[in-house]
Amino acid sequence: MGDVPRRWVPAAYAASGVRAVRVALVGAAGFYLFLYGFGSSVAATYALFSAVALAGLSRIPGTGPQRAATVLRLVPVCWLLVVVGTYLSVRTWSAVAGMLVIGFALAFAAVGGPGPAGAGPGLQLLYILPSFPPYDPDSLGVRLIGTTVGLALLILAERYLFPEPAPPSYRELAARAAATAADCARELAEPPYSLSPPSAERARADGTGLRSLKVPEADRPAGPGVRDRALTHTGLAARTLLSRLSALHGPPDGTSEVLGGVARLAERTAADLRARPGGRTARGTGSGSGDPYGELAAARARLAGRPAGPAAPAVLRRDAAALEVADAALTMATAASLAVGGRTAADRVRPGRFWYARTPAPLLWWHRIRGHAGRRSVFFQNAVRIGLALAAARLIAGLDTLPHGFWAMLATLSLTRTTVGETWGTIRVALAGTFAGALFTAALLTLVGPHTAVYAVILPVWMLFAFTVGPVRGVGWAQGLFTVLVAMVFAQLAPATWRLAGVRMLDVLIGSLIGGVFGLLAWPRGAHDELGRAAAGLLRRAAEIVVATSASVASGASGGVRTDAAGGGPGYRSLRHALIMAESAYAQFQSEPARFGAAEPRPPGPDWQAALMAGHHTLWGSDRLTAPPGVPALDPDPAEGLAGLGDRVAGRMLLVSAHLDPGGDTPGVPAPPRDPAYRGFAAEPPGAPRRYYAAVSWLDSLMTDLERVTAPEGGPR
């Protein structure tokens, strides 16, 4: 379709149409069952809005079975919200306080990943519904019955109606990347000792497929638990391994043992990732034929400890590149063992890189919450805005006895966007749509009058139309169509006239103004910008470590960033903290739901995962290369060359960081590609030892990571 906007393409209505059928069937079935079957308007209302909340207003990601499982886990939460909302509605002040606290908590729960983030708006609606008068705790049982039936019907519909093909999970994508790495390692060990074009393209495609942009929201490992964090690190290490293998070429000489070990370990890692959780993984503790991790670790140690002797520089260079490959494979296997085995595999993992392995789950949740409990977090900003806006709407509705104040709060919830510009832009469009819907509603109520049978016939068809067209055409259409829908619902619950349309218009106007005013309190810029700041800070810290490590290798000093088992040393802790914050921002970026009514998918941007790879690789390489006490300094020529390369890589990191998070006076120039005429990384100073080539290989790999960060889509990934 070329440049045709998504909202004009008929195929764009397919997904929303399928979801609309589920909402219409479930909502109408529960509503009619209780209203006309049992004569209970209260249960009918709760059954209908339970379906609308979690299938219409929410954007729970995933396939039907995944969404059904998410809704099933949320059933106790929904019960709690109905109970608390019912009892707190006894007084205006208690209802306002509850709206502030619970509104904030439900919005802030998005730190838990894409699932909670997508379900948040629907859960807000289920709390808003019982928080309005009449205060009737005696009807709580009926309310819970209606809610339960509505949710049960929704779970069944999501699970069995219109089954969707399940995309490969992130574990499967990581397993494919590991299997590709095994094939590449075997190919590199045989003539002509380089990857064929099909193998190189497969490695590029499998590596790029692990980017969050390529992974469905429900399958992104963005949660705070051990398995999700480890799976994220598995993907990072798998991309690193494929990148290092693609750059390896030349006769294997003494690296055949390492390449064979990489192939066996990567193959075992792929099998582990495809196995059920809890099984034995490749990250073993012993040695021998059954321990591919131990075999590769031993082969790597033998290669690293081999004296340089009279070896040619090309051999030393390939040995250094093979060590990079081995490190990536070992890291991938360790992360995969945690992703599969969870905390049961933590006793075999050295702390430092995998700091979260032995951390209890509540502390990991606390770490995630604490990391976002500040004004720089988009989750925190949105939670503050939504909590304050809903509390203000509830206060106005309670003090001024606003008719159908529920609608005002629903407008406040649905029209508060991630950014201030989006909020005010959305309000203008929504008010226009609501005005058109109000005019249509007034005409409908005037023509049909009290004949509820007409509304009963039209309602399911209108629900199908509204939930098909609204999400595709945008918030203006959605608000207009929803205005007519709720009028049809309330016309069946109680006699209604054309004045109901005016009340709806007034409520949406008040709710929109409240959402816009409170949107100014946080000035949120979206998760993309927060991730840019965090990634830029990470690269600035990494630049310091690169300079210090290069100087340490050149001078033989031990005052760089060497770490012990617990991690530490000058600069290391700061870089690790910056890396953790960048990973947290990346998880936030992955969890941010797609905008309601967005005409186009999120455009490709920087390769954020490559920025994290550069941060991890800086830590790993620094830990491995920093010279211990007693190691002599390099000769003047290698020392000068290595220091210059370190400065060059650090400068590149600063340039990329400015590209990711430009300041007010930063030139808006994209980071240029690597200069092909520069031969510093290919230099062969006379008498340069093995550790010189190891450091050069590390710096060259970092430059490759940095190229990926800013490379255009389809470029050198």
Side-chain angles (χ1 to χ4, degrees), residues 170 174 177 207 210 230-240 332 335 609 613:
Y170 197 84
L210 291 170
L231 194 54
T232 298
H233 283 180
T234 303
L236 290 172
R239 288 194 66 189
T240 302
M332 180 184 69
Q609 200 177 42
M613 288 164 57

Side-chain angles (χ1 to χ4, degrees), residues 283 334 346-355 357-358 563-567 572 623:
R283 178 61 172 99
T334 303
D347 59 335
R348 303 191 298 271
V349 175
R350 195 187 87 173
R353 286 186 196 179
F354 304 96
W355 59 271
R358 295 184 177 87
T563 64
D564 54 23
Y572 178 88
D623 188 28

Side-chain angles (χ1 to χ4, degrees), residues 142-469:
V142 178
R143 294 179 178 185
L144 290 175
I145 290 174
T147 301
T148 304
V149 171
L151 294 176
L153 292 175
L154 177 60
I155 291 170
L156 293 175
E158 293 282 16
R159 180 65 179 85
Y160 297 108
L161 283 183
F162 310 111
E164 308 152 280
S169 66
Y170 197 84
R171 275 182 59 171
E172 173 58 28
L173 294 175
R176 292 179 185 177
T180 297
D183 293 339
C184 290
R186 291 192 180 94
E187 187 172 340
L188 288 169
E190 300 174 354
Y193 311 117
S194 62
L195 295 182
S196 63
S199 297
E201 174 58 25
R202 181 185 169 196
R204 189 202 66 81
D206 286 348
T208 304
L210 291 170
R211 293 184 62 190
S212 64
L213 189 69
K214 308 290 186 180
V215 181
E217 286 181 72
D219 294 308
R220 296 172 187 169
V226 170
R227 293 180 189 273
D228 271 11
R229 292 179 187 269
L231 194 54
T232 298
H233 283 180
T234 303
L236 290 172
R239 288 194 66 189
T240 302
L241 176 59
L242 289 172
S243 170
R244 306 302 181 252
L245 287 169
S246 298
L248 196 63
H249 55 83
D253 296 319
T255 63
S256 298
E257 184 183 16
V258 168
L259 288 175
V262 168
R264 289 188 294 274
L265 182 58
E267 188 175 52
R268 176 69 176 273
T269 300
D272 291 341
L273 288 168
R274 288 170 171 150
R276 291 184 177 182
R280 182 173 176 82
T281 60
R283 178 61 172 99
T285 56
S287 60
S289 60
D291 180 17
Y293 184 96
E295 292 174 356
L296 178 57
R300 185 212 173 281
R302 284 191 290 270
L303 179 61
R306 190 169 61 182
V315 174
L316 297 178
R317 193 180 301 279
R318 183 178 173 88
D319 288 353
L323 292 176
E324 293 276 341
V325 169
D327 282 347
L330 292 169
T331 301
M332 180 184 69
T334 303
S337 71
L338 288 171
V340 175
R343 215 171 303 279
T344 59
D347 59 335
R348 303 191 298 271
V349 175
R350 195 187 87 173
R353 286 186 196 179
F354 304 96
W355 59 271
Y356 52 83
R358 295 184 177 87
T359 305
L363 288 181
L364 290 176
W365 270 95
W366 172 247
H367 185 277
R368 172 66 60 84
I369 292 172
R370 186 183 61 181
H372 287 288
R375 63 181 181 85
R376 299 297 294 271
S377 169
V378 175
F379 288 147
F380 184 80
Q381 293 172 359
N382 285 338
V384 169
R385 289 194 311 157
I386 290 175
L388 290 175
L390 292 180
R394 181 63 180 88
L395 178 63
I396 293 174
L399 295 181
D400 291 346
T401 61
L402 185 67
H404 294 283
F406 164 76
W407 291 353
M409 297 195 65
L410 183 58
T412 300
L413 176 64
S414 60
L415 300 182
T416 302
R417 292 306 185 205
T418 302
T419 67
V420 174
E422 287 180 6
T423 297
W424 285 111
T426 299
I427 287 174
R428 291 192 296 269
V429 176
L431 289 178
T434 303
F435 181 72
L439 291 179
F440 186 90
T441 298
L444 178 67
L445 295 175
T446 301
L447 291 175
V448 177
H451 303 292
T452 57
V454 177
Y455 303 121
V457 172
I458 299 176
L459 178 62
V461 180
W462 192 265
M463 289 179 67
L464 180 61
F465 178 66
F467 288 111
T468 299
V469 175

